[in-house]
Amino acid sequence: MGLSVNNIVKTYGEYTAVDDLSFEINSPGVFALLGTNGAGKTTTIRIILGMLAAQSGEVKWDGKPFLAAEKPVGYLAEERGLYPKYKILDQLVYFCTLKGMRRQDALRSLDYWFERLSVTEHKNKRAEQLSKGNQQKIQLIAALAPNPELLILDEPLSGLDPVNAELFKSVIREEIKKNKYVIMSSHQMTTIEEFCRDIVILNKGKTVLKGNLNEIKKSYGRVKLTVKAEGDISALAGECGLAVTEETPNGSSYNVQSEQQAHDLLNKIMESKIPLIRYELREPTLNELFIEKVGEASEN
């Protein structure tokens, strides 16, 4: 069940944009498609949508060839895709009819989403009259109004202020509760981490990490330590074989080889009676995993 991408290859002359990519989304939820600029994310999305043809491989839905034109799919592209000189409402009704909706059904759905995203006052304006943030809202409405089963969001929070970013997040949460399948691509790792269950990270078209994010983190263990104290603990950390990897106002960070190494430092701090403000031993974040895996791949 769900979406499966099998051994996709896309080349442009001697350049390989996507190199033997495979992944599955077997149940509703958020799947993250990640990578640096030029890693192959947008190319992959366009192949799924049928906008590009792959040299080899296939995309299937419930085991059958996937044709986006025949399946309710909502797509929020990173690039603005509105006609600047036309009224917003007219454009969105047209987009909905292309998805097979009747005009009255489209108007009913659009009224709901205009209200939900607080842009009702803009529906009779031209797209060029809207701010970038409101244009992003309109494009999200275009993706959601046909009530798609599969939703593809490419940098959905790009350019949004914190209030509207939180509004978008709340809408995404609602779609997840409706058992939608969601593919999300973003450079904002904290947002991805907030929503996603499974991930694939691409570098130069190749898969460098894939799987369930929680399971990936558990496989690393609690190897990241952050400590903040009211005093210099560098000598104590050195006695435990720890070197600072990052210094911020929130504390000093270390990579630990075992939890015992971290506990040894804690004991030394307590014995020295240096006031301790923060002590956090944790699994790596998605951002840390991304930097590590993409960095490794770039060196090879």
Side-chain angles (χ1 to χ4, degrees):
M1 300 294 289
L3 183 75
S4 61
V5 173
N6 305 312
N7 307 111
I8 292 296
V9 175
K10 178 62 180 177
T11 61
Y12 297 94
E14 296 182 357
Y15 173 70
T16 301
V18 180
D19 191 354
D20 197 30
L21 173 62
S22 297
F23 63 84
E24 294 183 348
I25 311 176
N26 292 318
S27 59
V30 179
F31 180 91
L33 183 61
L34 308 173
T36 58
N37 293 328
K41 306 184 300 298
T42 300
T43 299
T44 298
I45 289 171
R46 289 173 177 171
I47 291 172
I48 293 172
L49 292 170
M51 298 165 64
L52 289 175
Q55 267 72 23
S56 60
E58 58 185 359
V59 180
K60 291 187 174 182
W61 184 271
D62 291 348
K64 300 177 181 179
F66 179 66
L67 299 175
E70 299 176 1
K71 190 76 177 175
V73 180
Y75 177 38
L76 174 63
E78 181 178 7
E79 304 87 3
R80 302 290 185 268
L82 299 172
Y83 297 105
K85 301 294 184 182
Y86 291 86
K87 286 185 178 181
I88 294 300
L89 181 60
D90 293 342
Q91 291 191 57
L92 293 185
V93 169
Y94 173 67
F95 294 152
C96 287
T97 58
L98 290 178
K99 294 290 186 178
M101 295 184 75
R102 296 184 304 173
R103 179 178 175 83
Q104 288 304 313
D105 292 335
L107 289 170
R108 191 177 303 111
S109 179
L110 290 171
D111 280 344
Y112 168 80
W113 285 113
F114 282 135
E115 181 69 23
R116 179 68 181 84
L117 290 168
S118 303
V119 288
T120 300
E121 69 272 24
H122 300 308
K123 66 180 182 180
N124 289 312
K125 292 181 180 179
R126 299 188 305 275
E128 64 183 1
Q129 295 175 293
L130 272 58
S131 67
K132 289 183 178 181
N134 282 328
Q135 287 187 36
Q136 186 82 331
K137 288 183 179 182
I138 297 302
Q139 293 196 156
L140 181 61
I141 290 173
L144 293 172
N147 192 27
E149 190 170 356
L150 173 63
L151 187 61
I152 300 177
L153 306 175
D154 194 356
E155 296 290 350
L157 306 185
S158 176
L160 295 178
D161 61 63
V163 172
N164 282 315
E166 189 55 42
L167 176 60
F168 268 48
K169 288 181 183 181
S170 68
V171 169
I172 294 169
R173 293 187 192 102
E174 290 171 6
E175 293 302 296
I176 294 170
K177 289 181 180 178
K178 295 175 186 176
N179 289 326
K180 300 295 181 69
Y181 292 77
V182 182
I183 297 176
M184 188 183 297
S185 179
S186 177
H187 290 125
Q188 300 179 20
M189 296 298 160
T190 55
T191 299
I192 290 294
E193 203 160 10
E194 186 176 344
F195 287 103
C196 76
R197 179 186 60 218
D198 298 300
I199 66 170
V200 61
I201 297 178
L202 301 178
N203 184 64
K204 298 179 181 178
K206 294 181 178 292
T207 301
V208 296
L209 186 65
K210 180 172 70 172
N212 179 277
L213 181 56
N214 286 333
E215 292 177 1
I216 292 170
K217 286 184 175 184
K218 287 179 181 178
S219 71
Y220 277 76
R222 298 199 297 169
V223 295
K224 301 292 183 178
L225 175 65
T226 301
V227 181
K228 184 177 183 179
E230 291 185 357
D232 186 4
I233 63 168
S234 57
L236 299 179
E239 291 174 12
C240 298
L242 295 172
V244 174
T245 57
E246 185 180 23
E247 285 275 14
T248 73
N250 291 321
S252 303
S253 296
Y254 307 88
N255 291 331
V256 301
Q257 297 182 3
S258 68
E259 292 192 15
Q260 186 58 52
Q261 193 179 26
H263 296 327
D264 289 344
L265 175 58
L266 177 60
N267 290 333
K268 287 181 179 294
I269 294 172
M270 300 303 290
E271 290 170 0
S272 69
K273 300 189 184 305
I274 297 175
L276 186 63
I277 300 171
R278 180 185 181 194
Y279 176 90
E280 181 185 15
L281 182 61
R282 58 174 175 79
E283 298 169 345
T285 64
L286 176 57
N287 191 65
E288 290 165 339
L289 292 172
F290 182 93
I291 292 172
E292 175 187 319
K293 288 300 180 181
V294 171
E296 289 176 354
S298 297
E299 290 174 1
N300 297 331

